[in-house]
Amino acid sequence: MMMKFETLGSDLGYLEGPVHLTDGTVAFTAVDRGCVYRLRGEDVAVFASPGGGPNGAAVGEDGTIFIAQNGGRRPAPKQREISGGVQAIRPDGRVETITTDPVASNDLCFGPDGRLYVTDPTLPRARHDGRIWRVDPETGDAELLGSTNWFPNGIGFNRSGDLYVAAMDLQQILVVPIEDDVLSTPHLLVQMEYGYPDGFAFDVDGNLIVAAVSIDSGAGQLQVYDPAGSLLDVIEPGNSAHYTNVALSPSGVLVVTDASGGQLLRTDWPTRGLPLYTERVAVRGSSPR
């Protein structure tokens, strides 16, 4: 599939965590600059400065942006090191710490129970292990669901409520059951032939759009898989080695964080994005818990 990508911003840093907000704007993080940007139309500006290394992001029903804070670890400068965990950026830009239990949070998402699910890999990546947490966004109570012997990165729930996690070092996308509040044996969904899986997004048909970081000197990719894990398409938005994450809106606008180029990319995707759990709850008009 040939796609034309619009470039927004330049020299913005090592970008991650794109999320579509309910007002039509887009928020995304700069891990190495300790800040969160907001895109309004064509304009990019700093919205908040949580410090450390803000990575993945998720938005709550009230517009609060929840940030996976890695505590200033690579690629953030060490002088910005703070406690890892989860932070909340309120709609007025105030930054609050929700929990410091995760060591070096990487990515997070809302689950069908209204709680945040957080990947917490051990850095550097050569350690090949990590943890997955469940966090109450209101109280900050954090539960360790289990440890992994692989590097957990991107995380998300499909329409059926199945938990998907990117095992970055294994080049795999796993379906990870949770039984009696602990992680059970993961099931392999995707074994990638090229690239390391980072962040991902679902479309309304259940297809998975994965940001695949380059494993050599070549360009990174977007890889599209059907619900059974079969590869449907490979897209190279440009020459960057590090396309780190994607977000697909319910109207079909795809944004991609280009960490190597320090810029945000945008395109019209042929399918609509699967609404996040907070958006589905808002449509139903009921509590997620």
Side-chain angles (χ1 to χ4, degrees):
M1 174 167 43
M2 296 294 295
M3 308 208 65
K4 182 177 180 180
F5 288 85
E6 179 185 7
T7 300
L8 301 162
S10 62
D11 190 29
L12 298 176
Y14 194 96
L15 301 184
E16 254 284 5
V19 60
H20 291 275
L21 305 181
T22 54
D23 64 359
T25 63
V26 175
F28 55 104
T29 65
V31 185
D32 59 339
R33 299 189 181 180
C35 72
V36 176
Y37 293 107
R38 200 162 187 174
L39 170 71
R40 295 181 182 273
E42 309 298 318
D43 298 324
V44 176
V46 173
F47 174 61
S49 297
N55 200 320
V59 61
E61 288 182 76
D62 66 350
T64 294
I65 303 168
F66 293 90
I67 298 295
Q69 173 59 252
N70 79 10
R73 292 163 176 81
R74 188 178 182 276
K78 289 185 177 180
Q79 65 266 27
R80 289 202 175 101
E81 188 163 346
I82 61 174
S83 295
V86 177
Q87 295 171 305
I89 302 175
R90 304 304 179 186
D92 63 2
R94 287 180 298 116
V95 179
E96 300 175 8
T97 297
I98 301 300
T99 177
T100 58
D101 283 342
V103 179
S105 301
N106 186 293
D107 206 353
L108 77 175
C109 69
F110 274 97
D113 57 1
R115 288 178 282 184
L116 291 162
Y117 289 73
V118 185
T119 55
D120 179 24
T122 301
L123 298 176
R125 197 169 67 202
R127 288 288 298 274
H128 301 294
D129 71 346
R131 296 146 298 280
I132 297 177
W133 299 80
R134 180 166 56 194
V135 176
D136 188 312
E138 296 179 2
T139 67
D141 291 340
E143 305 168 72
L144 178 61
L145 296 176
S147 299
T148 68
N149 59 1
W150 36 272
F151 187 99
N153 198 314
I155 188 168
F157 285 87
N158 69 359
R159 186 188 295 276
S160 301
D162 300 316
L163 178 62
Y164 285 45
V165 182
M168 195 174 195
D169 54 329
L170 302 180
Q171 298 179 261
Q172 295 176 347
I173 303 292
L174 303 174
V175 181
V176 185
I178 300 173
E179 299 176 358
D180 297 323
D181 292 329
V182 297
L183 301 182
S184 187
T185 304
H187 307 305
L188 176 65
L189 179 75
V190 171
Q191 178 64 64
M192 295 169 58
E193 295 185 3
Y194 177 82
Y196 294 112
D198 202 324
F200 56 78
F202 294 96
D203 73 5
V204 290
D205 297 324
N207 299 316
L208 192 64
I209 306 163
V210 181
V213 175
S214 173
I215 61 175
D216 50 32
S217 59
Q221 299 174 342
L222 304 183
Q223 298 180 10
V224 186
Y225 295 88
D226 70 14
S230 297
L231 182 64
L232 296 177
D233 208 346
V234 174
I235 299 162
E236 291 187 1
N239 297 319
S240 174
H242 294 89
Y243 299 112
T244 54
N245 214 328
V246 294
L248 181 60
S249 77
S251 63
V253 176
L254 183 79
V255 291
V256 183
T257 45
D258 174 2
S260 296
Q263 56 195 9
L264 189 73
L265 308 180
R266 181 172 64 189
T267 191
D268 292 325
W269 198 253
T271 55
R272 294 177 292 113
L274 178 67
L276 304 181
Y277 265 101
T278 49
E279 294 170 319
R280 294 178 230 174
V281 169
V283 169
R284 292 199 304 269
S286 60
S287 171
R289 303 178 64 182

